[in-house]
Amino acid sequence: MATPVPVGANLVIEATDFPQLLAAVDRLGYQMVGPTLRDGHLIYGDLTGVADLPAGWTDEQEAGAFRLKRRDDQALFGYGVGQQSWKQFLFPPHHLLWRAARRGDDFQMIPPAEAVPRYAFIGVRSCDLHAMAVQDRVFLQGRHVDPVYQVRREQAFILAVNCGGQGCGTCFCVSMGTGPRATFGFDLALTEVLPEGKHYFLVEVGTDRGAGVLQAVPQRAAGAAEIAAAASVVAATAANLGRQLDTQGVKELLYRSYEHPRWDEVAARCLNCGNCTWVCPTCFCHTIEDVTDLTGMVAERWRRQDVCFTVDYSYLHGGSIRPSPRSRYRQWLTHKLATWFDQFGCSGCVGCGRCITWCPVGIDITEEIRAIRETEASLKETEHGDL
Amino acid sequence: MIENNPDPMLPEIFEVKRLQRETADTFTLELTRPGGAAEFSFAPGQFNMLYAFGRGEAPISISGAPARSDTLVHTVRNVGNVTRAICKSRPGAKLGVRGPFGAPWPVAEMAGQDVVIVAGGLGLAPLRPAIYHFLEHRADYGNFELIYGARTPADLLYRRELERWRGRFDFRVHATVDTAGADWRGGVGVVTTVIPRARFDPANTIALVCGPQLMMRYTVMELLGRGLTPAQIYVSMERHMKCGLGLCGHCQWGPFFVCKDGPVFRYDTVKDWFERREV
């Protein structure tokens, strides 16, 4: 097609031409993954083309509840985030690190010779772009770099989608400054616009790689009205979020609140199942499992995503550091919203709301912070009253 | 292949040269690189992840002399599946090594000052490289006090070495045990009971403390009582560790990763966390 489009340009692709965009990504040899329905669940799975996207579906999310619903249009991205995040591709939850082979008293290391998948992520929301940036700080910007994450991250093509005001019942990205509009970290960012009878995508070009993909796709420069229409979609989303979290001084609040009675109250509801850590797009904890085959001649080291809600997680000779459910929930929440700042210079929470939706008993991180914040003053008064 | 591998999770294979029994369940292993390849440099207080084939990996302090970097020395207590396999290694056996990891004792910054070392049980192991350093550079430091506590005389690590050090005129060694038989002529009591007798100038002293957390807590209180400030005390912490890289999350202690921010911490930087329970 025409001359390359510059980074930062806004273009319009009609919905009827959208299949060509995915086809163009596919032709570059990426393994395309994106939202799709499987067994009645909204997941991120392999995509072969637009037909695999959940067209015409949306969702309702509340604490402890997720329901897919039909839309009355054929929107391709008309839902929020499901239980999975892109973490599973960049930080594989179960990954073989190496093998070793024994010969008598000796053994030899056999580094893995795996083919690393080159992913194209289709439909990444702004909160998840922020989550990737958070995990970049963990896995790439510390003293030690994780090579497993690094190679997957560097190769990934990212097609972002600005949220269209659906399925955000548990979201609080505006509070966390992480959405709903994608502002960085994408090759292309789409806003899906469906005014009366029309259906098009406003495309923002993030990188030359993204611009290159557009070469093969019918498109035109966006008009002011189209840009404004897309902006109003995002603005409507921002006004429609189901949750808010007051982040003002939240680190200091939690550092002051290690003995707050709310931890006992939430621990009485928390099942310690760890769902919140599985669905969280930033949780990075993992364990190392060393195993052998039945002959004992070949050993393997596996890395497995781990959960800070188990007693075993903090086990030291003689017992667990955090034997009580109270201390384990406190560890998780305090890590997300307080210690993370000291460890990595950012929040560990991006406001995606997954931990709220997928908590089987509907524990709501925003509600817990609100409860701690609101009762802090009265606790102080009680303390003084006792004196 | 392994030497140049950028993967920090891939152990390098070392050979067990010597294995020496310290106590009923604790052994000191000397490891070398097969073929006598390059030296292994580390700083006192750092640790390695030791891997026993197929069994797994455990974080173990380096307990040898930093100046003798052709052998890598670890003192290991047989308390679990991995450490049992390590303690059962015979000369010629191979172990995997990753490291060294962690923040060391500040031996260089301590020059010119009095040195107080308080160790409990296996806590002497990560302090021994620092002690070797002080002995080797004895003239650079002031008065030297080593206070070492163990459960019984049979649980004292490095006993012959302790007795040799005690024979020096420039090196005071106090060994104390919780309980002992009639044949024990040393001190009985916890390490904190010895601290009042230690000789140091509180204005010009650094204390290094390693042992069970409760022992460290009371030792710190006693040292503060003797006039040290929190910034003059260093403690070495212990947590569950899987990677040693600050990535697996297991060793978190409030805002710290014990594996990379520690295990050695200056007490004033951690004192808010030190007495919090279940952190």
Side-chain angles (χ1 to χ4, degrees):
Chain A
M1 297 242 339
T3 49
V5 284
V7 168
N10 284 301
L11 306 165
V12 168
I13 296 179
E14 293 295 335
T16 48
D17 294 326
F18 189 75
Q20 296 190 46
L21 176 59
L22 292 197
V25 174
D26 197 32
R27 274 197 301 277
L28 293 175
Y30 290 105
Q31 180 180 342
M32 282 198 298
V33 288
T36 190
L37 297 184
R38 189 175 297 163
D39 303 329
H41 294 278
L42 175 65
I43 62 151
Y44 292 134
D46 286 335
L47 300 182
T48 54
V50 169
D52 294 328
L53 291 171
W57 287 94
T58 188
D59 58 39
E60 276 179 352
Q61 302 197 32
E62 252 314 317
F66 182 99
R67 276 196 184 78
L68 283 169
K69 285 195 322 181
R70 274 288 180 194
R71 294 172 62 101
D72 49 16
D73 58 27
Q74 282 299 302
L76 294 176
F77 297 99
Y79 38 82
V81 293
Q83 59 191 290
Q84 298 184 341
S85 73
W86 310 95
K87 172 172 90 170
Q88 63 183 313
F89 303 106
L90 298 174
F91 164 56
H94 195 210
H95 184 76
L96 178 66
L97 291 175
W98 46 257
R99 288 196 166 86
R102 162 183 261 162
R103 280 180 318 183
D105 259 357
D106 206 351
F107 63 92
Q108 273 197 323
M109 309 302 303
I110 310 167
E114 51 152 12
V116 178
R118 259 174 90 236
Y119 290 115
F121 296 145
I122 307 301
V124 181
R125 307 305 172 112
S126 180
C127 56
D128 283 344
L129 290 175
H130 282 265
M132 288 179 200
V134 170
Q135 287 212 325
D136 287 350
R137 287 175 183 250
V138 175
F139 288 124
L140 303 180
Q141 293 163 21
R143 192 177 309 163
H144 297 281
V145 168
D146 177 53
V148 177
Y149 180 90
Q150 184 179 33
V151 59
R152 285 162 177 73
R153 177 74 166 114
E154 285 173 353
Q155 292 183 355
F157 181 94
I158 293 177
L159 181 70
V161 171
N162 295 323
C163 285
Q166 297 291 324
C168 38
T170 56
C171 297
F172 50 105
C173 61
V174 170
S175 300
M176 305 311 291
T178 56
R181 180 172 171 268
T183 54
F184 71 98
F186 54 81
D187 293 290
L188 295 172
L190 312 176
T191 310
E192 187 170 27
V193 191
L194 297 106
E196 316 74 38
K198 294 187 204 158
H199 187 183
Y200 64 89
F201 292 91
L202 185 84
V203 185
E204 187 184 340
V205 180
T207 64
D208 289 334
R209 183 166 61 168
V213 166
L214 291 177
Q215 296 275 303
V217 185
Q219 22 109 342
R220 59 184 154 81
E226 287 159 329
I227 292 173
S232 70
V233 167
V234 177
T237 306
N240 192 30
L241 299 184
R243 295 291 193 278
Q244 286 185 333
L245 193 152
D246 178 4
T247 58
Q248 182 70 35
V250 70
K251 177 182 126 179
E252 292 75 16
L253 172 72
L254 287 169
Y255 276 0
R256 287 194 303 270
S257 303
Y258 264 73
E259 301 305 328
H260 196 288
R262 183 72 183 188
W263 301 122
D264 291 315
E265 202 275 337
V266 65
R269 287 177 286 136
C270 175
L271 306 179
N272 279 251
C273 69
N275 265 18
C276 48
T277 71
W278 297 118
V279 299
C280 177
T282 67
C283 271
F284 59 85
C285 286
H286 54 268
T287 189
I288 302 298
E289 293 174 345
D290 287 298
V291 296
T292 59
D293 66 359
L294 282 176
T295 69
M297 300 305 283
V298 177
E300 291 179 344
R301 172 166 295 174
W302 288 83
R303 180 166 87 173
R304 187 190 288 277
Q305 192 185 337
D306 204 2
V307 170
C308 56
F309 281 90
T310 66
V311 176
D312 201 39
Y313 176 87
S314 62
Y315 181 83
L316 203 55
H317 49 81
S320 176
I321 297 287
R322 300 184 201 101
S324 69
R326 168 188 190 272
S327 67
R328 296 196 291 275
Y329 185 83
R330 183 179 66 183
Q331 162 64 23
W332 180 75
L333 188 138
T334 306
H335 189 208
K336 284 290 151 206
L337 288 168
T339 53
W340 207 293
F341 284 98
D342 284 333
Q343 292 171 352
F344 302 108
C346 66
S347 167
C349 174
V350 295
C352 71
R354 288 182 176 95
C355 59
I356 304 172
T357 300
W358 297 97
C359 175
V361 294
I363 293 171
D364 180 341
I365 187 171
T366 66
E367 186 54 38
E368 295 312 310
I369 293 295
R370 189 174 300 113
I372 290 172
R373 195 185 288 282
E374 284 175 357
T375 49
E376 192 193 23
S378 63
L379 285 174
K380 286 241 171 66
E381 281 163 23
T382 318
E383 278 168 25
H384 290 301
D386 289 341
L387 283 174
Chain B
M1 174 180 71
I2 291 144
E3 305 262 299
N4 299 319
N5 197 300
D7 185 346
M9 284 309 293
L10 200 61
E12 184 189 343
I13 296 174
F14 276 65
E15 184 174 326
V16 178
K17 272 286 177 235
R18 271 183 81 215
L19 188 90
Q20 187 182 330
R21 180 184 282 270
E22 299 285 351
T23 72
D25 60 0
T26 306
F27 296 81
T28 294
L29 290 88
E30 290 183 14
L31 309 177
T32 58
R33 281 192 162 104
E39 300 191 337
F40 189 98
S41 76
F42 71 98
Q46 288 191 300
F47 68 94
N48 283 321
M49 299 297 290
L50 293 191
Y51 169 71
F53 181 86
R55 300 298 182 91
E57 210 173 38
I60 308 287
S61 299
I62 306 172
S63 63
R68 275 201 62 199
S69 50
D70 53 331
T71 44
L72 193 50
V73 181
H74 290 90
T75 302
V76 186
R77 177 165 288 169
N78 174 356
V79 287
N81 204 22
V82 177
T83 49
R84 184 181 314 126
I86 292 171
C87 289
K88 285 191 169 172
S89 308
R90 292 291 158 249
K94 300 293 198 300
L95 293 174
V97 176
R98 294 192 297 121
F101 298 121
W105 302 110
V107 291
E109 296 101 272
M110 292 166 68
Q113 309 205 53
D114 290 347
V115 177
V116 177
I117 290 183
V118 189
L122 204 52
L124 185 58
L127 281 161
R128 192 167 70 159
I131 295 170
Y132 287 137
H133 176 92
F134 298 133
L135 287 170
E136 190 153 333
H137 305 90
R138 185 64 192 89
D140 296 347
Y141 298 90
N143 197 33
F144 187 98
E145 302 272 336
L146 169 62
I147 301 166
Y148 178 41
R151 284 184 204 157
T152 72
D155 292 313
L156 291 166
L157 295 182
Y158 319 131
R159 182 149 178 185
R160 289 177 60 184
E161 218 167 12
L162 283 170
E163 287 172 354
R164 199 163 64 240
W165 292 339
R166 203 176 57 161
R168 293 175 64 123
F169 296 125
D170 59 356
F171 208 81
R172 292 228 306 163
V173 177
H174 314 263
T176 180
V177 297
D178 297 342
T179 56
D183 56 341
W184 171 250
R185 293 287 175 271
V188 174
V190 293
V191 288
T192 47
T193 63
V194 181
I195 293 172
R197 288 186 274 127
R199 294 176 197 155
F200 56 87
D201 170 12
N204 193 31
T205 294
I206 297 291
L208 310 181
V209 185
C210 185
Q213 194 163 343
L214 200 66
M215 165 264 173
M216 292 201 288
R217 185 174 157 198
Y218 283 95
T219 297
V220 166
M221 283 166 59
E222 202 68 36
L223 290 169
L224 294 173
R226 284 282 318 263
L228 294 193
T229 65
Q232 288 173 277
I233 301 169
Y234 288 79
V235 293
S236 182
M237 297 299 295
E238 193 175 16
R239 278 294 183 276
H240 192 63
M241 290 178 191
K242 286 292 185 187
C243 71
L245 310 170
L247 299 180
C248 80
H250 286 260
C251 70
Q252 282 179 82
W253 179 40
F256 308 109
F257 291 94
V258 171
C259 74
K260 66 169 186 179
D261 302 321
V264 174
F265 293 95
R266 204 175 72 191
Y267 180 68
D268 62 323
T269 65
V270 295
K271 89 178 148 54
D272 289 347
W273 301 94
F274 203 72
E275 291 183 9
R276 281 185 179 169
R277 290 162 56 86
E278 299 189 49
V279 174

